[in-house]
Amino acid sequence: MAQQDVLRIAEAPGDDTQGARSLPSNVEAEAAFLGAVLIDNRVIEELPTQLGPQHFFEPVHARIYERILGLLDRKAVVTPVTLRPYFEADEQLKALGGVSYLARLTADGQGLLAPRELAAQIYDLALLRELISVGRSLVEGAMDTSESVEPQEQIEQAEAALYKVAEGAASANEAKSFAQATHTAIFNIEKAFNSGGNISGKTTGLDSVNSKIGGLHDSDLIILAGRPGMGKTSLVTNIAFNTSQRYVDDMALGIEPKRSVGAPTAFFSLEMSADQLATRILAEQSGISSEALRMGKISREDFQQLSFASQRLAELPLFIDDTPGLSIAALRTRARRLKRRHNIGLIIIDYLQLLSGSGRANDNRVNEISEISRGLKTLAKELEVPVIALSQLSRAVESREDKKPMLSDLRESGSIEQDADMVWFVFREDYYVNATEPKFPAEGDPPDVVDKWEAWRQRMEQVTGLAELIVAKQRHGSTGRVRLKFEARITKFSDLDADDPRGAFVSD
């Protein structure tokens, strides 16, 4: 390609004035790379970076590359000839000689000598331009000294912008075309089909729950609530283990990370320490009670079983952050870091009410909780991962005859319910039935004492070891209830056995 052709393009988008510095770019490299792709379409399959149209400095090149990707996605062969119909009416291309420019891109074939290096340079220069944009915004924001400006909020916004640059998401805030959105939707449907028809997101490890919700969907905020003693932490600990273990299993089978229904998991424990959580997971996986582990009341065989379980757990991509008193801004900072370093695909927070806001709520806890729930939803969308946040329920549940929780029982419920994509409740009837145990019959007691205790015993037999996950809100499907087996000794949730007469699903 003639040098003057490239120079004409380079001048087009610039607003450069004499003596001013231009944005980092290499239009010649873009042209050479496009020429290499048009000569050999397989070049794109070997790229070390996810190069997109937004990384091209020259708008004409960006449109050409976008069309190339679209055609390749349809399994078409892309050449200057097959591209021609799409650019015959392109006004900017007409200024360069029209569709003949497409042929000139392939004239010398120099891009085939080092296409990977050219792609890497185009990508790096795009990141530099985005850094300049972020830097300008930082300077403009820092120069604003009005009372309405919060420096901590500016730092949070700056960090979010830098995170996007670090992740190569320079165009994260740009509108997606319907074709891009459709492609993502089809990919998720394909993943659900290949997983057996139940999971389009991340697995919970519980088949009955997966069947109800389709897995944990990226960008979703899931609120899991329940009264103390219901097993909220136990359930999310089980899910954290199941999701990270499935990721390990899928990698061992050679499945691509993006096609896995498992994921590395981040667990933010604001209530329990990391070693307490680790003890819980060890109890679940070894089958030894948490109490026995804490007190050391285990046999030699138990210790061998524990050692085997700990070796398996050591390989899990499960990251626990037990820093107390985290603010929502600090949590988002740590989550971004884990996403960048370990590509986490699931975030769990135990629990929401222990987070703090920015301090601008003027001692209004409801407003602070609203800020926190919005921040968690924003985090889910920004990192494109499901976020599960545990939440407390109000004491109103205890004052009702029917103890099953409802959406109105969420503490500071308005914003939490509004921001959540799904709301789950954990309910264990045996917890309440056990508290109503009547007097144990003794010799000489009247028959009604015996009858009362026997009726209580039979009821306890029916509900012991049974838990319900109530899906009270779901944007993606119907609400309802799922019955699970709960082993209190090792605080473990699992699917009911197929022959259990109590059944997995409950119709409301």
Side-chain angles (χ1 to χ4, degrees):
M1 187 190 322
Q3 181 70 14
Q4 56 268 30
D5 291 333
V6 176
L7 291 177
R8 285 178 61 194
I9 306 173
E11 292 163 2
D15 55 356
D16 204 23
T17 57
Q18 189 172 2
R21 297 183 64 180
S22 60
L23 290 172
S25 62
N26 188 341
V27 182
E28 294 91 336
E30 294 178 3
F33 174 75
L34 289 174
V37 173
L38 290 174
I39 294 171
D40 184 356
N41 295 169
R42 292 172 299 178
V43 163
I44 288 182
E45 299 173 5
E46 303 168 357
L47 295 184
T49 57
Q50 292 293 324
L51 193 64
Q54 71 275 12
H55 297 122
F56 286 78
F57 179 70
E58 166 53 46
V60 171
H61 288 167
R63 290 199 297 278
I64 292 173
Y65 189 64
E66 183 176 21
R67 179 57 64 181
I68 289 173
L69 293 179
L71 290 172
L72 289 177
D73 193 49
R74 287 154 47 187
K75 310 299 182 186
V77 176
V78 187
T79 67
V81 175
T82 57
L83 278 181
R84 182 186 181 100
Y86 301 101
F87 290 94
E88 287 180 338
D90 193 295
E91 294 298 329
Q92 279 190 294
L93 200 60
K94 285 180 180 178
L96 302 170
V99 290
S100 62
Y101 178 72
L102 299 172
R104 294 205 303 276
L105 286 171
T106 62
D108 54 23
Q110 289 187 8
L112 286 173
L113 298 176
R116 292 166 62 91
E117 289 74 10
L118 288 172
Q121 185 183 90
I122 294 168
Y123 183 85
D124 290 345
L125 289 172
L127 294 188
L128 289 176
R129 291 195 298 274
E130 188 64 17
L131 273 176
I132 291 171
S133 176
V134 171
R136 286 173 177 166
S137 298
L138 283 176
V139 171
E140 290 172 3
M143 294 295 288
D144 185 354
T145 57
S146 60
E147 291 184 2
S148 61
V149 174
E150 289 286 343
Q152 288 298 326
E153 184 176 344
Q154 286 194 2
I155 292 171
E156 163 76 6
Q157 291 172 351
E159 187 172 56
L162 287 171
Y163 168 78
K164 290 174 182 175
V165 175
E167 291 297 295
S171 63
N173 291 327
E174 294 181 1
K176 289 184 177 179
S177 69
F178 187 71
Q180 290 173 303
T182 303
H183 184 272
T184 303
I186 292 296
F187 178 83
N188 290 333
I189 294 168
E190 178 192 1
K191 187 161 72 169
F193 176 78
N194 291 335
S195 69
N198 287 334
I199 311 173
S200 58
K202 308 293 191 306
T203 183
T204 62
L206 301 165
D207 290 341
S208 53
V209 177
N210 287 338
S211 296
K212 181 64 182 173
I213 64 171
L216 307 169
H217 302 275
D218 288 345
S219 303
D220 271 7
L221 172 61
I222 301 132
I223 299 296
L224 173 61
R227 289 295 293 158
M230 289 295 107
K232 301 185 297 295
T233 301
S234 299
L235 179 57
V236 290
T237 304
N238 295 164
I239 291 173
F241 171 82
N242 293 337
T243 306
S244 50
Q245 182 63 57
R246 178 60 181 266
Y247 182 81
V248 171
D249 295 342
D250 285 352
M251 294 307 98
L253 293 172
I255 296 173
E256 295 179 63
K258 67 178 181 179
R259 296 185 182 277
S260 171
V261 294
T265 301
F267 198 120
F268 290 90
S269 178
L270 285 78
E271 187 173 39
M272 298 173 63
S273 66
D275 60 295
Q276 288 175 320
L277 268 178
T279 301
R280 278 198 174 210
I281 297 176
L282 279 170
E284 293 160 10
Q285 300 309 312
S286 64
I288 305 170
S289 74
S290 299
E291 183 180 359
L293 289 179
R294 284 195 304 270
M295 300 179 70
K297 294 182 178 179
I298 56 176
S299 65
R300 185 175 297 276
E301 291 75 15
D302 288 340
F303 191 82
Q304 290 177 343
Q305 194 171 346
L306 186 66
S307 177
F308 178 72
S310 66
Q311 289 175 11
R312 286 179 53 224
L313 294 173
E315 302 172 357
L316 280 185
L318 175 56
F319 307 94
I320 301 173
D321 188 326
D322 60 357
T323 307
L326 278 178
S327 66
I328 182 63
L331 183 140
R332 289 168 67 174
T333 296
R334 291 165 183 259
R336 290 189 195 104
R337 189 180 302 135
L338 285 167
K339 176 71 172 178
R340 186 169 62 248
R341 293 179 179 175
H342 304 292
N343 195 30
I344 57 170
L346 172 63
I347 296 173
I348 296 172
I349 298 111
D350 183 13
Y351 58 93
L352 184 150
Q353 279 83 4
L354 287 178
L355 287 169
S356 60
S358 63
R360 299 197 304 273
N362 298 322
D363 297 325
N364 187 322
R365 184 56 176 165
V366 174
N367 290 344
E368 187 176 27
I369 291 295
S370 298
E371 178 190 352
I372 291 168
S373 64
R374 282 195 304 270
L376 292 177
K377 176 57 183 175
T378 301
L379 178 65
K381 290 189 68 176
E382 178 186 338
L383 301 189
E384 295 184 340
V385 301
V387 173
I388 303 176
L390 274 61
S391 178
Q392 293 178 333
L393 286 179
S394 69
R395 290 189 176 91
V397 175
E398 309 297 337
S399 62
R400 294 197 305 263
E401 184 175 345
D402 183 359
K403 308 296 186 184
K404 289 182 179 177
M406 303 178 293
L407 287 172
S408 58
D409 295 324
L410 282 169
R411 288 184 64 175
E412 300 97 9
S413 65
S415 60
I416 297 176
E417 180 185 341
Q418 178 181 328
D419 293 324
D421 297 281
M422 281 192 275
V423 177
W424 301 346
F425 297 120
V426 184
F427 176 71
R428 286 173 44 222
E429 191 172 358
D430 61 352
Y431 179 88
Y432 294 104
V433 174
N434 187 54
T436 63
E437 181 180 3
K439 177 183 179 296
F440 186 80
E443 187 175 349
D445 281 340
D448 64 316
V449 173
V450 178
D451 292 342
K452 283 182 181 179
W453 191 87
E454 181 60 25
W456 173 85
R457 186 193 64 78
Q458 291 179 6
R459 183 59 184 157
M460 275 299 293
E461 279 188 0
Q462 291 174 351
V463 298
T464 297
L466 184 66
E468 282 186 3
L469 181 69
I470 302 170
V471 182
K473 176 184 178 182
Q474 183 179 188
R475 294 195 199 277
H476 311 293
S478 62
T479 58
R481 290 180 283 162
V482 178
R483 282 181 172 160
L484 299 168
K485 181 166 66 176
F486 179 70
E487 300 173 69
R489 187 177 67 89
I490 56 175
T491 63
K492 183 175 182 178
F493 287 84
S494 56
D495 291 302
L496 285 175
D497 298 329
D499 56 354
D500 195 310
R502 295 175 292 189
F505 295 100
V506 185
S507 58
D508 290 320

